[in-house]
């Protein structure tokens, strides 16, 4: 079998309302799907992490840089392909967009391997430790409106996510320490005292400001404080972890085993959040997962993208060993963005229907059992939302 073509599909549509996080507001939803074709008619699908114009830049890397390197190679030689591409791009991008682009290609190669074997991805990795996973609902995005109004909105939205059946919820912050504490307090009000909620700052704070917010989160009994400071500030993460009770989480902005080794050796994370569509794909994710578990750091995958990303992560969560083992081990969760996303809800020929599953199954989602990542996109849907080259 040989790779004959790699196609990038960048999809986009205008969202019903503008949403934001600590770094920007956005009015369009974007997804970057990667399709790898072979001479035997087997096609694999992957996804590259990266919004907006970043997706268009990654499209060029996939088609103009990576594709010429791997045409004619056997798609089953995933590790050979991974290291060839990484080594040839190493001088030009050990992190960032080159790794995001490699991620989409690598996921597609694993999809091909599963289809050739007739096995779901979790079987290819080594089996399922669980055939369903708990799911938390991500919402409470920033809006360009007064904080008092947004706090009232957050209270209602958090309560609604809880009522949908999700096992926990996560919110955004980014207006500054004092207004952000008000938003966090509003979310706790919406979900009540016992329900877990998490806070994602998208590296908005200095270390001192993160301590200010983190101490409030200790009082509010938040479950984790995600990306409180810049991902490069390893010493700051360790300082926060030593000084706060709330779990410190992060890692979505890290790439490859070498970057992750530095994070883990620094002991700055209570919970690791690798992003498979960015860090180097499934091949590199498995190496990073092994590093995390070697450092006794539990993993909750970062998930932000289309149904391809969701399905891939469901397979990985199924195959993730418990840490530690026992009768009632700590369990990973699926991250689910509850805001409008056609590329998650309507992309597939057979939709995952995550929200319906959550409601019907006490907050849990089943693992797809089809070959590869277990799903197939609708080509007519892709053609409708594809951006022109």
């Amino acid at each position: 079998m040989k790779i004959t073509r790699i196609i990038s599909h960048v999809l986009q549509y205008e969202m019903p309302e503008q949403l934001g996080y600590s770094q920007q507001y956005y009015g369009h939803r974007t997804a970057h799907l990667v399709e790898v074709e072979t001479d035997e008619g087997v096609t694999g699908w992957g996804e590259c992490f990266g919004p907006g114009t970043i997706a268009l830049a990654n499209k060029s890397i996939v088609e103009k840089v990576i594709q010429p390197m791997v045409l004619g190679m056997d798609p089953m030689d995933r590790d050979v392909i991974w290291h060839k591409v990484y080594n040839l791009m190493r001088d030009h991008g050990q992190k960032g967009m080159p790794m995001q682009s490699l991620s989409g290609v690598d996921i597609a190669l694993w999809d091909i391997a599963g289809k050739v074997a007739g096995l779901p991805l979790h079987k290819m990795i080594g089996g399922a430790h669980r055939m369903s996973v708990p799911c938390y609902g991500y919402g409470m995005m920033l809006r360009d409106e007064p904080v008092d109004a947004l706090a009232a909105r957050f209270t209602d939205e958090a309560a609604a996510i809880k009522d949908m059946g999700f096992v926990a919820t996560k919110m955004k912050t980014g207006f500054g320490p004092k207004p952000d504490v008000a938003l966090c307090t509003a979310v706790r009000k919406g979900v009540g005292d016992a329900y877990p909620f998490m806070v994602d700052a998208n590296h908005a704070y200095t270390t001192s400001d993160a301590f200010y917010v983190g101490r409030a989160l200790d009082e509010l009994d938040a479950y984790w404080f995600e990306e409180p400071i810049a991902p490069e500030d390893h010493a700051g993460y360790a300082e926060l972890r030593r000084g706060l009770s709330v779990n410190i989480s992060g890692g979505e902005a890290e790439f490859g085993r070498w970057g992750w080794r530095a994070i883990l050796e620094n002991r700055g994370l209570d919970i690791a959040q690798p992003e498979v569509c960015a860090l180097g794909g499934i091949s590199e994710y498995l190496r990073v997962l092994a590093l995390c578990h070697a450092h006794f750091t539990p993993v909750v995958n970062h998930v932000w993208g289309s149904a391809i990303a969701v399905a891939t992560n469901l397979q990985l969560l199924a195959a993730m060993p418990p840490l530690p083992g026992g009768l009632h081990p700590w369990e990973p969760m699926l991250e689910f963005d509850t805001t409008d996303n056609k590329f998650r809800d309507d992309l597939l020929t057979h939709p995952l229907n995550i929200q319906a599953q959550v409601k019907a199954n006490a907050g849990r989602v089943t693992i797809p059992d089809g070959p590869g990542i277990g799903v197939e996109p609708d080509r007519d849907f892709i053609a409708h939302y594809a951006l022109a080259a």
Side-chain angles (χ1 to χ4, degrees), residues 162-175:
K162 179 182 178 181
D163 289 344
M164 291 176 193
F166 292 99
V167 301
T169 191
K170 188 168 77 176
M171 61 175 291
K172 292 290 192 185
T173 58
F175 286 108

Side-chain angles (χ1 to χ4, degrees), residues 11-16 29-31 305-308 337 339-348 351 381-382 384-385:
L11 315 181
Q12 191 173 90
Y13 72 92
E14 187 172 353
M15 297 173 62
R29 178 77 69 178
T30 309
S306 80
I308 298 296
D337 166 26
T339 63
D340 186 88
N341 189 342
K342 297 180 188 298
F343 303 143
R344 179 197 60 225
D345 298 336
D346 304 326
L347 170 68
L348 303 179
F381 180 92
I382 290 174
H384 181 76
Y385 288 100

Side-chain angles (χ1 to χ4, degrees), residues 13-325:
Y13 72 92
E14 187 172 353
M15 297 173 62
E17 63 173 327
Q18 186 181 69
L19 299 175
Y21 59 105
S22 68
Q23 303 301 316
Q24 66 174 337
Y25 293 100
Y26 58 95
H28 292 82
R29 178 77 69 178
T30 309
H32 178 189
L33 310 183
V34 175
E35 180 183 6
V36 176
E37 297 180 344
T38 69
D39 63 347
E40 294 187 13
V42 183
T43 295
W45 292 91
E47 182 164 355
C48 303
F49 180 71
T53 55
I54 292 173
L56 293 172
N58 285 340
K59 173 181 172 69
S60 293
I61 296 173
V62 168
E63 294 185 343
K64 297 180 180 180
V65 179
I66 297 178
Q67 179 177 222
M69 295 179 186
V70 303
L71 286 179
M73 294 185 70
D74 188 337
M76 303 297 282
D77 291 340
R78 297 180 300 281
D79 197 57
V80 175
I81 290 171
W82 196 97
H83 284 90
K84 176 180 181 179
V85 172
Y86 181 81
N87 289 336
L88 288 174
M89 293 198 301
R90 187 180 228 147
D91 293 347
H92 315 286
Q94 300 159 27
K95 300 177 184 286
M97 290 187 288
M99 291 295 279
Q100 292 169 349
S101 301
L102 175 55
S103 298
V105 174
D106 182 80
I107 293 168
L109 296 179
W110 276 89
D111 190 32
I112 288 171
K115 289 172 178 174
V116 169
L119 295 171
L121 177 61
H122 63 264
K123 287 287 189 183
M124 300 291 291
I125 294 171
H129 293 273
R130 57 196 68 80
M131 283 308 294
S132 70
V133 293
C135 184
Y136 76 84
Y138 191 167
M140 288 73 73
M141 305 293 290
L142 302 187
R143 274 87 166 178
D144 187 11
E145 61 188 43
V147 171
D148 288 348
L150 191 61
R153 183 197 291 266
F154 275 21
T155 296
D156 293 341
E157 188 175 350
I161 290 172
K162 179 182 178 181
D163 289 344
M164 291 176 193
F166 292 99
V167 301
T169 191
K170 188 168 77 176
M171 61 175 291
K172 292 290 192 185
T173 58
F175 286 108
K178 289 185 179 181
D180 287 345
V181 169
L183 294 176
C184 296
T185 303
V187 169
R188 172 52 79 198
K189 177 184 176 182
V191 298
D193 292 338
Y195 189 76
F197 86 100
M198 295 82 83
V199 177
D200 185 359
N202 291 107
H203 47 80
Y205 305 125
T206 63
T207 304
S208 61
D209 284 348
F211 267 112
Y212 180 92
V213 176
R215 291 186 185 107
L217 296 182
D218 286 347
E219 293 295 320
L220 292 168
D221 193 27
Y223 183 39
W224 76 55
F225 191 9
E226 182 172 335
E227 275 204 312
I229 57 177
E232 299 93 336
D233 187 5
H234 292 183
Y237 274 90
E239 186 180 351
L240 289 168
R241 189 183 182 206
R242 287 192 299 266
L244 295 173
S245 297
V246 63
N247 290 309
I248 303 299
S249 69
E252 71 180 77
E254 192 50 82
F255 302 85
R257 73 200 84 155
W258 301 280
W260 270 96
R261 179 185 63 182
I263 287 180
L264 294 164
E265 288 178 349
N266 182 64
R267 304 295 290 175
L269 294 179
D270 293 290
I271 297 171
Q273 295 172 294
E275 169 54 75
V276 68
C277 297
L279 62 78
I282 294 168
S283 297
E284 195 68 356
Y285 168 89
L286 295 174
R287 291 185 272 261
V288 167
L289 177 65
L291 278 174
C292 291
H293 282 194
H295 287 84
F296 301 98
T297 304
V299 172
V300 177
N301 295 349
H302 179 266
V303 185
W304 182 269
S306 80
I308 298 296
V310 174
T312 300
N313 277 280
L314 281 170
Q315 298 288 345
L316 297 175
L317 292 171
M320 185 188 296
L323 179 77

